[in-house]
Amino acid sequence: MDWAMLIEWVVKALLLTVILLTGFAYTTYLERKVLAWIQVRIGPNRAGPWGLLQPAADGIKLIFKEELIPAYADKIIFVLAPVITMIPALIINAVIPWGREVVIFGRKVALYLADVNVGVLYIMAVASISVYGVVLAGWSSNNKYSLLGGLRASAQMISYELALGLAFLPPIMLAGTLNLREIVEAQRSMWYVVYQPIAAFIFLVTSIAEVNRAPFDLPEAEQELTAGYHTEYSGMKFALFFMAEYTKMIAVSAIFASLYLGGYLGPFESQFPWLGPVYLALKIFLGLFLMIWLRATFPRFRYDQLMALGWKGLFPLALLNVVVTAGVLALVG
Amino acid sequence: MSLMVLFVLMGALALAAALGLLFARNAVYAALFLVLNMLALAVLYLTLGAPFLAMVQITVYAGAVMVLFLFVVMLLGAETLREEGGPIAWQRPLAAILGGVLVGTLSYILFVEATTGKILPPPEDYATPYALSVKLFQDYLLPFEVASVLLLVAMLGALVLVQIERKRRRNDDQTSD
């Protein structure tokens, strides 16, 4: 293990974290602006030009807020829960490839943090444990609305994870690898969304359910559960939940782009590897815009509708899609 | 060398979490200790060169099974319930005997068989997804299918039991009206 390598990894990890956290701040801005435009309002426009400093103002406000812990809450888990929510949202991004290799100061640097041969499984593993934070927040608050929110979150996750896992399979089968970078490279001739529109659709729907965004935001449903699992949270602890939600939105968009939209690939990328991150950023932006658009358009599902859609609609469809894909691949070779 | 340090650390963590699971008074804490134990085991698999198993261990056990456990504990509000009348009388001696058998077998393999050279080191690619699927879906296809049918039967059995209970309750309601 040489030192330059170690420094390179640390720098890349720090850079990725900073990019993600800045991305989170401006995703909140994007959401407020886009929602405002869709609803024929103006949106944040006071802090800085076009309201661009709004995320900074929000952050400062949250830091100075009082941190409340309910009297009969389970204090250890109450404090740990926001952290447990935030960590998976950050580390899931470790395996996403941002490009191939570039030369910086005469040194070849790969534009990805970890090139793991089970990258897709890593994503599934981290996604599957990301529900703990929400469930524990709901339970430790000692508040019936919070508990209901936490329970809803775990039921929803378990129901939608199956279809989500099955939507991961077609790109793996087409590329013949579990390595995310190789899956992206395999899409040089054609994006997988063209071969697998059904799987891409299922992935989109289930991943929105996994990040608890509208129309699947039942765990926090403000009208019935008064914000659900994070009712009792304030200040920076609340900010961590907020951060986790938006970081997960970015991560999900990046994973969707890598699996179905050719990741960092795009015109002239083979000559100019620096274009890779730009293309991926554009595709992530598309995903974020789509999620915000959906939130502005669709009303929330009722709980039984959510379960029926997951178990009777998406799950059989995803299963059928996998079987058909496997059959076609076996026949064609 | 650093792998060895990681292995020992994670082994200690897994042991500590297992003890925490045994002695936790609150069922939610016990479940969380079990999750910690499983995550530590996953890292152990990683240090042994089996990343596929490690990821599956996290997804299936920590991500699905334990989430369901936690769900049921919270749904029933059973965090602090104590068993009525204490544990079953023959449970502890039986557990001690079976645990002793396990420890004995493992130490026999570890200290006797391994030193006589009966156990060969695993082949280089023993834990790749490809090698594992060949084992599961070709060499051991029948046991694999039997296990999955068994699980399916257990699930159907649970459903049938619930249905009988429901029907009985419905009948009770009608007669009381």
Side-chain angles (χ1 to χ4, degrees):
Chain A
M1 164 100 45
D2 76 299
W3 280 101
M5 194 80 165
L6 202 66
I7 293 170
E8 183 192 319
W9 275 340
V10 171
V11 168
K12 277 200 286 193
L14 284 178
L15 200 65
L16 185 66
T17 314
V18 169
I19 289 174
L20 279 173
L21 292 183
T22 322
F24 140 72
Y26 278 91
T27 310
T28 66
Y29 173 77
L30 180 76
E31 169 145 54
R32 290 175 69 175
K33 267 296 193 207
V34 173
L35 279 183
W37 287 331
I38 290 175
Q39 295 159 356
V40 205
R41 293 183 286 116
I42 295 172
N45 66 344
R46 292 304 161 96
W50 308 290
L52 273 174
L53 292 178
Q54 188 65 41
D58 287 343
I60 293 169
K61 182 191 86 174
L62 281 168
I63 289 172
F64 285 109
K65 281 219 165 184
E66 186 184 357
E67 303 260 353
L68 288 171
I69 296 181
Y72 290 98
D74 191 309
K75 288 201 180 54
I76 303 171
I77 293 186
F78 188 81
V79 174
L80 272 180
V83 183
I84 298 177
T85 315
M86 188 62 202
I87 290 173
L90 278 179
I91 63 172
I92 200 167
N93 290 286
V95 292
I96 291 165
W98 283 81
R100 289 175 305 134
E101 284 183 334
V102 293
V103 179
I104 305 174
F105 303 126
R107 183 186 165 79
K108 268 193 178 175
V109 176
L111 287 177
Y112 39 82
L113 196 57
D115 188 23
V116 206
N117 63 359
V118 288
V120 179
L121 284 173
Y122 170 84
I123 289 175
M124 287 175 70
V126 176
S128 71
I129 54 169
S130 68
V131 67
Y132 279 110
V134 171
V135 178
L136 291 175
W139 176 77
S140 65
S141 296
N142 196 27
N143 170 331
K144 57 188 166 197
Y145 295 118
S146 301
L147 182 62
L148 278 174
L151 288 178
R152 278 184 180 184
S154 54
Q156 181 173 327
M157 291 278 187
I158 286 173
S159 309
Y160 279 73
E161 217 152 64
L162 290 169
L164 180 69
L166 289 172
F168 270 109
L169 275 180
I172 297 175
M173 291 195 288
L174 287 174
T177 173
L178 287 165
N179 183 319
L180 208 55
R181 191 181 54 79
E182 286 168 15
I183 289 179
V184 173
E185 283 295 327
Q187 298 178 60
R188 251 183 214 285
S189 54
M190 183 56 80
W191 292 357
Y192 284 158
V193 68
V194 179
Y195 297 133
Q196 288 287 340
I198 300 174
F201 170 75
I202 293 170
F203 186 94
L204 261 185
V205 177
T206 50
S207 57
I208 293 173
E210 285 274 312
V211 293
N212 295 329
R213 292 273 308 174
F216 299 103
D217 58 343
L218 282 103
E220 41 181 294
E222 60 272 23
Q223 293 90 341
E224 11 173 341
L225 294 183
T226 67
Y229 64 90
H230 58 54
T231 304
E232 301 288 356
Y233 282 88
S234 56
M236 276 318 276
K237 289 202 214 64
F238 168 74
L240 276 178
F241 282 119
F242 207 55
M243 251 187 225
E245 178 179 335
Y246 284 85
T247 317
K248 275 186 208 160
M249 279 170 72
I250 297 173
V252 158
S253 305
I255 295 164
F256 180 70
S258 302
L259 286 180
Y260 288 104
L261 300 181
Y264 55 80
L265 298 180
F268 306 114
E269 190 271 334
S270 40
Q271 288 102 35
F272 305 103
W274 272 114
L275 281 175
V278 178
Y279 285 129
L280 186 59
L282 275 176
K283 287 166 187 173
I284 291 175
F285 176 79
L286 261 178
L288 292 176
F289 182 80
L290 186 70
M291 281 192 236
I292 296 168
W293 189 10
L294 287 176
R295 174 178 172 184
T297 312
F298 284 106
R300 182 180 302 127
F301 279 101
R302 222 173 47 218
Y303 194 69
D304 55 324
Q305 291 170 333
L306 173 100
M307 285 294 153
L309 177 68
W311 288 104
K312 296 178 191 162
L314 295 174
F315 179 54
L317 189 66
L319 210 54
L320 193 69
N321 185 52
V322 166
V323 172
V324 171
T325 309
V328 170
L329 276 178
L331 286 178
V332 180
Chain B
M1 187 60 216
S2 56
L3 269 187
M4 195 64 210
V5 174
L6 193 63
F7 187 87
V8 172
L9 272 179
M10 281 299 139
L13 183 64
L15 265 182
L19 287 176
L21 158 72
L22 282 179
F23 295 111
R25 293 195 163 271
N26 187 320
V28 170
Y29 275 83
L32 290 179
F33 274 122
L34 192 52
V35 173
L36 190 62
N37 177 276
M38 285 162 176
L39 292 179
L41 282 186
V43 180
L44 285 185
Y45 292 152
L46 271 183
T47 59
L48 292 173
F52 179 78
L53 266 186
M55 294 303 141
V56 171
Q57 157 94 3
I58 296 179
T59 314
V60 175
Y61 287 103
V65 174
M66 286 319 292
V67 172
L68 272 179
F69 256 66
L70 214 56
F71 179 79
V72 172
V73 168
M74 288 180 185
L75 190 69
L76 298 179
E79 296 96 310
T80 50
L81 278 190
R82 293 272 102 193
E83 208 175 339
E84 281 162 37
I88 310 163
W90 44 266
Q91 204 176 20
R92 283 192 182 168
L94 188 68
I97 293 169
L98 291 179
V101 170
L102 182 68
V103 170
T105 319
L106 282 178
S107 7
Y108 177 72
I109 293 173
L110 205 65
F111 296 115
V112 183
E113 299 253 299
T115 47
T116 53
K118 271 187 192 160
I119 297 173
L120 301 172
E124 188 75 342
D125 58 346
Y126 74 106
T128 59
Y130 180 79
L132 273 178
S133 27
V134 167
K135 283 261 177 290
L136 266 187
F137 299 115
Q138 274 177 9
D139 301 357
Y140 298 102
L141 183 64
L142 188 68
F144 180 74
E145 291 298 333
V146 169
S148 57
V149 169
L150 201 64
L151 286 174
L152 188 68
V153 170
M155 199 166 72
L156 287 177
L159 279 176
V160 169
L161 287 176
V162 171
Q163 285 302 326
I164 292 172
E165 177 76 5
R166 254 193 215 154
K167 214 173 271 174
R168 200 173 54 81
R169 259 192 221 159
R170 209 173 297 145
N171 288 342
D172 287 358
D173 287 351
Q174 275 163 2
T175 47
S176 62
D177 288 343

